[in-house]
Amino acid sequence: MFDPIEVIKELVSNPSVSTDSAYADGMQGTRDVLTKLFSKMSLEVEVVDTPRHPVVLARRNGPDSWPHVIIYGHYDVQPPDPLDLWDSPAFEPTMRGTRLYGRGVADNKGPMMVHVTAVARLLEEKPDLPLRITFLIEGEEEIGSPSLPMVLESHGESLRGDFVLLSDTLNPSEDQVAINMGLRGIVSLEIEVSGPSRDLHSGGFGGAIYNPLQALTEICASLHHPDGRINVPGFYDDVILPADWEKEEIAKLPSGDEELRESTGVPGLFTANNRTGMEAIRYEPTLEINGIGGGYQGEGDKTIIPSKAFAKITCRLVANQDPDDIQKKVFAAIRERCPKEVRLNIKEGHDGMPYSVVPPGRSNTPADQNPHLAKAFKACEEAVEKEFGLPPLYLRGGGSIPIIGEINKVLGLDCIMLGMGTEENNLHSPNESFNVASLEKGIAVSKAILLAVADK
Amino acid sequence: MFDPIEVIKELVSNPSVSTDSAYADGMQGTRDVLTKLFSKMSLEVEVVDTPRHPVVLARRNGPDSWPHVIIYGHYDVQPPDPLDLWDSPAFEPTMRGTRLYGRGVADNKGPMMVHVTAVARLLEEKPDLPLRITFLIEGEEEIGSPSLPMVLESHGESLRGDFVLLSDTLNPSEDQVAINMGLRGIVSLEIEVSGPSRDLHSGGFGGAIYNPLQALTEICASLHHPDGRINVPGFYDDVILPADWEKEEIAKLPSGDEELRESTGVPGLFTANNRTGMEAIRYEPTLEINGIGGGYQGEGDKTIIPSKAFAKITCRLVANQDPDDIQKKVFAAIRERCPKEVRLNIKEGHDGMPYSVVPPGRSNTPADQNPHLAKAFKACEEAVEKEFGLPPLYLRGGGSIPIIGEINKVLGLDCIMLGMGTEENNLHSPNESFNVASLEKGIAVSKAILLAVADK
């Protein structure tokens, strides 16, 4: 058997930055480590070509009567910049205390190896385990998974398992594990407002022209009520409100609104619909202006009426909201409110479905209707309490992992998102690290889940 | 005597770009041409040093009992860029038809030479003319005249004439001269709204944070009523509305609102207080957002709640509004409307007084109370009709020439702003030109004004 820490180091030594073609060798090297490892585990390995970075599939096959677990991970990593802020080189894995440092060690190479190691050990201990397993390891997660939908389509039949198991989310603390039971969806768009055919002198023309910046700020300002609610007719129609037990889970978190405020540095939090901050970042849909620009941005002033201006907007959607429906409603509100003295152009951006799953016993849910998933949740809950000392919290997350919604949409599968690591992991930042002290605990939980599903 | 066209060519051949220190030789060369010319005219020449570009003063002295006319002009020019759009080199004056092309030929070297030539000829024809004349020719007009106020202070006594004569404004057409009787003042400011101490992930924090861009757009949008009026308490308190005769002057202009709309390319004009577009650009105060920025401005999207955002704003003020008062009112409105969950910083920019003068006979005005100015206006009116075929129109202008307000404030002087040239002159643009066919007409008008003031 292999030592998972040594494999993680080998994976991190291969710089697999998906966004930069200069790292093609590191991408190939990382795939090679994985395919050799999977072959050694006697899995059937398939490298699926895509327009950018191949997907690695590795299967433990068996009769159709066996349950089938899909394990998701990604082998690509974020760029290492800024390099001078690293205390040890980004692609030279370095142990300090119980933490291993290096780009990708926590996102997602270490957490991915939790499940790879669990499967390897389980199959060694129980060669006859009645369980089908498919690893789905992509190389484009950090660039938005552009190829994954076509692989889900082309290989859909072989991926139609019972549920997906993955670790690509974080926990509130080292001993408090969180099972992520929801992700916000997303709709992105860009508004461009244009008026005069060129920047005009504000002395020569001011007073007779609808300034595109005035129109743009009026449109943007109109999208919220003063109480913080989104002012788009029908925006909240399909929102599923959090259940009382969900609010209780949040209340058990080791930190609350004051810590949230402090960590962001704002004078005060601001939420809609009487939510606490900790609730709002998980259960409220949002409409955020991510960027705005127009006219003169240099030093001092320039007395112009600018020709045009833009705003970039994204909405985060919560369970049951539909991106297409929300996009239509937001577009309609903007179109209706744009003054006729300027021209409006709205560009569609990408979108992603929100996703949620409810663990068994909380209500009549997919997890109850899917016996394998229900067993997995239950085993996970017990193993987390045994290994980490506290039962897991079930929390929806505020972020979006579009592939989770995509897998749910295309394959109809729910996910168990087992958190591995904490904010201290510095994902996407210099000095990314992974606490190897949690590795064996995670492996034990993963094994317990797989054993339970196999009814062993 | 000199040929004014040759002198203009010589002036234009000296590139006097005030904003760029690489043109120091051109600035010096232009001053040399002027000081030699003034000396040849037997004027007393003084070059007043300033922190950047000296002011040239040239005086025809005489007893205190003689009337005293100040003639303003500027010897600096705009940068010539973009050079590749010029049909002939910017600093090689080139005649095509009746137009002379070159940077600065119309702004302000040609129009300035109208008055220099008029004085030279007049003094040659009538060496005993009982008139004091002071040329005040600055070299910083294109960079906001930073040194002029201190020269007005230090040389105030010798500049306390009866009125100022200048040509630094345009006419509606070649044969329709306009006398500019007002300029808008200006107040500039910059708003910075900041929230989180760093850009936040909109998935992780969206819903609990007042997005600085949302706060900024709400503040900006609040500054106008839906009908276009400025929504700042007390903003219109001191506005002097245009008299009926002023509206009639505008109606005589060769072009109106439809031409204004066409020339700007907007779908429709937009004015407050039921003004026509042509009235609004002259008689309405404005509050314009000149630039805005914050968050992500690159391609595609970036899902952040930005740390901060800014907007640059200028107000154009009309006669009787006070920049300090308006600044206070705008600041107060912004402060009151800024949500408490973000931080606000307002930076003061420059300001300038609005200015207006009313020609004699229209009402009881400074021009009536100042007999020399009244005579000058009357002579100007008659000479313009004789030389150009049509009586002048009296129009307020929408732009701001801060030195006019400054001269009015420090020296108490009103101005006769005789338009020379049209939009075809391409001020500040490539292929700047000046129609020399208008030169002799302008000289005749200038002579008529000076003669009338001298009672000859």
Side-chain angles (χ1 to χ4, degrees):
Chain A
M1 263 301 296
F2 56 82
D3 174 353
I5 297 178
E6 290 311 308
V7 178
I8 295 170
K9 285 181 179 173
E10 205 185 341
L11 287 167
V12 172
S13 305
N14 283 277
S16 51
V17 180
S18 50
T19 195
D20 184 345
S21 57
Y23 290 96
D25 286 352
M27 292 297 287
Q28 178 69 54
T30 309
R31 280 195 301 276
D32 289 347
V33 174
L34 287 172
T35 52
K36 268 179 217 155
L37 191 69
F38 288 138
S39 297
K40 230 167 82 179
M41 289 161 62
S42 304
L43 303 184
E44 178 195 305
V45 178
E46 182 183 3
V47 177
V48 183
D49 264 332
T50 73
R52 289 191 70 177
H53 303 296
V55 170
V56 176
L57 296 178
R59 298 187 185 88
R60 187 200 187 223
N61 296 315
D64 285 359
S65 58
W66 291 2
H68 184 189
V69 179
I70 312 293
I71 298 177
Y72 169 87
H74 64 90
Y75 67 88
D76 63 326
V77 304
Q78 281 277 314
D81 319 82
L83 290 170
D84 56 326
L85 295 184
W86 285 81
D87 295 330
S88 51
F91 297 111
E92 291 177 20
T94 307
M95 191 75 85
R96 290 197 286 281
T98 64
R99 302 192 80 87
L100 184 61
Y101 290 80
R103 171 56 83 227
V105 67
D107 186 12
N108 175 243
K109 291 172 175 177
M112 172 175 73
M113 279 306 295
V114 164
H115 302 289
V116 175
T117 310
V119 170
R121 291 190 187 164
L122 207 51
L123 295 182
E124 200 172 51
E125 293 162 18
K126 297 181 187 287
D128 298 328
L129 191 77
L131 185 67
R132 287 178 292 159
I133 297 166
T134 301
F135 285 97
L136 166 65
I137 314 290
E138 68 159 323
E140 299 179 347
E141 199 272 347
E142 301 295 357
I143 54 172
S145 307
S147 305
L148 200 68
M150 61 187 93
V151 175
L152 295 183
E153 292 287 347
S154 63
H155 289 65
E157 275 314 306
S158 71
L159 292 166
R160 221 168 282 279
D162 293 296
F163 65 90
V164 180
L165 175 63
L166 69 150
S167 288
D168 201 17
T169 51
L170 295 175
N171 294 324
S173 67
E174 287 291 347
D175 53 2
Q176 179 60 73
V177 169
I179 311 289
N180 193 318
M181 41 167 282
L183 295 162
R184 290 196 278 197
I186 198 161
V187 167
S188 83
L189 59 129
E190 186 168 336
I191 311 175
E192 191 184 83
V193 173
S194 56
S197 50
R198 62 188 190 280
D199 289 356
L200 297 178
H201 190 295
S202 73
F205 296 93
I209 305 294
Y210 213 120
N211 185 324
L213 279 174
Q214 183 184 329
L216 182 75
T217 59
E218 287 167 354
I219 292 169
C220 287
S222 82
L223 297 173
H224 288 88
H225 292 290
D227 66 3
R229 281 173 58 88
I230 295 157
N231 182 20
V232 171
F235 194 91
Y236 292 95
D237 280 356
D238 299 321
V239 168
I240 292 187
L241 296 175
D244 287 343
W245 72 265
E246 292 187 83
K247 296 187 193 172
E248 286 159 21
E249 293 283 287
I250 290 177
K252 291 178 201 159
L253 280 168
S255 71
D257 275 18
E258 181 49 26
E259 288 82 0
L260 180 61
R261 191 200 64 74
E262 259 178 33
S263 75
T264 59
V266 296
L269 299 181
F270 182 72
T271 66
N273 295 315
N274 298 315
R275 298 259 170 270
T276 67
M278 295 296 276
E279 288 170 7
I281 60 179
R282 293 173 173 82
Y283 300 115
E284 278 296 316
T286 66
L287 186 154
E288 300 281 2
I289 310 166
N290 306 119
I292 202 166
Y296 181 66
Q297 308 209 341
E299 262 192 57
D301 57 28
K302 189 175 179 189
T303 48
I304 53 168
I305 300 170
S307 168
K308 56 188 172 185
F310 69 87
K312 291 168 184 282
I313 291 175
T314 49
C315 300
R316 298 272 176 179
L317 311 185
V318 297
N320 209 38
Q321 289 186 297
D322 176 57
D324 289 341
D325 172 64
I326 293 296
Q327 189 194 67
K328 277 198 198 89
K329 287 170 174 169
V330 174
F331 280 25
I334 292 170
R335 289 211 179 92
E336 191 194 311
R337 294 168 194 178
C338 183
K340 66 182 190 310
E341 292 85 359
V342 296
R343 294 179 185 91
L344 174 70
N345 182 23
I346 313 181
K347 281 185 248 178
E348 283 182 48
H350 69 283
D351 61 22
M353 295 288 290
Y355 168 77
S356 76
V357 63
V358 177
R362 266 71 181 182
S363 56
N364 184 19
T365 63
D368 280 328
Q369 287 156 12
N370 177 339
H372 297 303
L373 180 60
K375 269 183 242 171
F377 263 118
K378 192 154 179 296
C380 177
E381 198 168 307
E382 290 166 2
V384 164
E385 180 159 14
K386 183 176 161 211
E387 298 295 328
F388 291 84
L390 288 168
L393 293 179
Y394 291 100
L395 299 169
R396 290 200 232 170
S400 307
I401 312 183
I403 46 118
I404 300 295
E406 190 68 24
I407 288 171
N408 185 255
K409 195 172 84 179
V410 177
L411 305 178
L413 301 188
D414 279 310
C415 296
I416 296 187
M417 290 179 259
L418 173 69
M420 283 298 298
T422 66
E423 285 290 348
E424 207 182 335
N425 287 12
N426 278 349
L427 307 189
H428 296 207
S429 299
N431 298 315
E432 178 178 346
S433 70
F434 182 65
N435 188 353
V436 295
S438 65
L439 191 61
E440 289 298 330
K441 298 178 189 177
I443 293 168
V445 174
S446 181
K447 276 176 71 178
I449 292 170
L450 299 171
L451 270 173
V453 176
D455 262 336
K456 294 288 161 182
Chain B
M1 264 299 297
F2 56 83
D3 174 351
I5 297 178
E6 290 310 309
V7 178
I8 295 171
K9 286 181 180 174
E10 206 184 342
L11 287 168
V12 172
S13 304
N14 282 276
S16 51
V17 180
S18 49
T19 195
D20 185 344
S21 57
Y23 289 95
D25 287 351
M27 293 297 288
Q28 179 68 55
T30 309
R31 279 194 302 276
D32 290 346
V33 175
L34 286 173
T35 53
K36 268 180 217 153
L37 192 69
F38 287 138
S39 298
K40 231 166 82 179
M41 287 161 64
S42 305
L43 304 185
E44 177 194 307
V45 177
E46 181 183 5
V47 176
V48 184
D49 261 334
T50 73
R52 288 192 70 177
H53 302 295
V55 170
V56 176
L57 296 178
R59 299 187 185 86
R60 191 210 182 210
N61 296 315
D64 284 359
S65 59
W66 291 2
H68 184 188
V69 179
I70 312 293
I71 298 177
Y72 169 87
H74 64 89
Y75 68 87
D76 64 325
V77 303
Q78 280 278 312
D81 321 81
L83 289 169
D84 56 326
L85 295 185
W86 285 81
D87 294 332
S88 52
F91 297 112
E92 291 176 21
T94 307
M95 192 74 87
R96 290 197 287 280
T98 63
R99 302 192 80 88
L100 185 61
Y101 288 81
R103 170 55 83 227
V105 69
D107 185 14
N108 176 244
K109 291 172 175 176
M112 172 174 76
M113 280 306 296
V114 164
H115 301 290
V116 175
T117 310
V119 170
R121 292 191 188 163
L122 208 50
L123 294 183
E124 200 171 54
E125 292 162 17
K126 297 182 188 288
D128 298 328
L129 191 76
L131 185 67
R132 286 179 294 159
I133 297 167
T134 301
F135 284 97
L136 167 64
I137 313 290
E138 69 159 324
E140 299 180 349
E141 199 272 348
E142 301 295 359
I143 54 172
S145 306
S147 305
L148 201 67
M150 62 187 91
V151 175
L152 295 183
E153 292 288 348
S154 63
H155 290 65
E157 275 314 308
S158 70
L159 292 167
R160 222 169 282 280
D162 293 296
F163 64 90
V164 180
L165 175 63
L166 70 149
S167 288
D168 202 18
T169 50
L170 296 176
N171 295 324
S173 67
E174 286 292 348
D175 53 2
Q176 179 59 73
V177 169
I179 311 289
N180 193 319
M181 41 167 283
L183 295 163
R184 290 196 279 196
I186 198 160
V187 167
S188 83
L189 59 129
E190 185 168 337
I191 311 176
E192 191 185 82
V193 173
S194 56
S197 50
R198 62 188 190 282
D199 290 355
L200 297 177
H201 189 295
S202 73
F205 297 92
I209 305 293
Y210 213 120
N211 185 325
L213 279 174
Q214 184 184 329
L216 182 76
T217 58
E218 286 167 355
I219 292 169
C220 288
S222 82
L223 297 172
H224 286 88
H225 292 290
D227 66 3
R229 280 173 60 88
I230 294 157
N231 181 21
V232 170
F235 194 91
Y236 292 95
D237 281 357
D238 298 322
V239 167
I240 293 187
L241 296 176
D244 286 344
W245 72 265
E246 292 187 83
K247 295 187 194 173
E248 285 158 21
E249 293 284 286
I250 291 177
K252 289 179 202 157
L253 280 167
S255 70
D257 274 20
E258 182 48 26
E259 288 82 0
L260 180 62
R261 193 199 63 74
E262 258 178 35
S263 74
T264 59
V266 295
L269 299 180
F270 183 71
T271 66
N273 295 316
N274 298 315
R275 297 260 171 271
T276 65
M278 296 295 277
E279 289 170 8
I281 59 179
R282 293 174 173 82
Y283 299 116
E284 278 295 315
T286 66
L287 185 154
E288 299 282 1
I289 310 166
N290 306 119
I292 201 167
Y296 181 65
Q297 307 209 343
E299 260 191 58
D301 56 30
K302 188 175 179 189
T303 48
I304 53 167
I305 300 169
S307 169
K308 56 188 172 185
F310 69 87
K312 291 169 183 282
I313 290 176
T314 48
C315 301
R316 297 273 176 179
L317 310 186
V318 298
N320 209 41
Q321 288 185 297
D322 175 57
D324 289 341
D325 173 65
I326 293 296
Q327 189 193 66
K328 276 198 200 89
K329 288 170 174 169
V330 174
F331 279 25
I334 292 170
R335 288 210 179 93
E336 191 194 310
R337 294 168 195 178
C338 183
K340 66 182 189 309
E341 292 86 358
V342 296
R343 296 181 183 87
L344 174 69
N345 182 25
I346 312 181
K347 282 185 247 178
E348 283 182 46
H350 68 282
D351 60 20
M353 296 287 290
Y355 167 78
S356 77
V357 63
V358 177
R362 265 72 181 183
S363 55
N364 184 20
T365 64
D368 279 328
Q369 288 155 13
N370 176 340
H372 297 303
L373 181 59
K375 270 185 240 167
F377 263 119
K378 193 156 178 294
C380 176
E381 199 168 306
E382 290 167 1
V384 164
E385 182 159 10
K386 183 174 163 214
E387 298 295 328
F388 290 85
L390 288 168
L393 292 179
Y394 290 100
L395 298 169
R396 291 200 231 169
S400 307
I401 311 183
I403 46 115
I404 299 296
E406 191 67 27
I407 288 171
N408 185 256
K409 196 171 84 180
V410 176
L411 305 179
L413 301 188
D414 280 311
C415 297
I416 296 186
M417 291 179 259
L418 173 69
M420 284 297 299
T422 67
E423 286 290 349
E424 208 182 336
N425 287 14
N426 279 349
L427 307 189
H428 297 206
S429 299
N431 298 315
E432 179 178 345
S433 70
F434 182 64
N435 188 353
V436 296
S438 64
L439 191 61
E440 289 298 331
K441 299 179 189 175
I443 293 169
V445 173
S446 181
K447 277 176 70 176
I449 292 170
L450 298 171
L451 269 173
V453 175
D455 263 334
K456 295 288 159 185

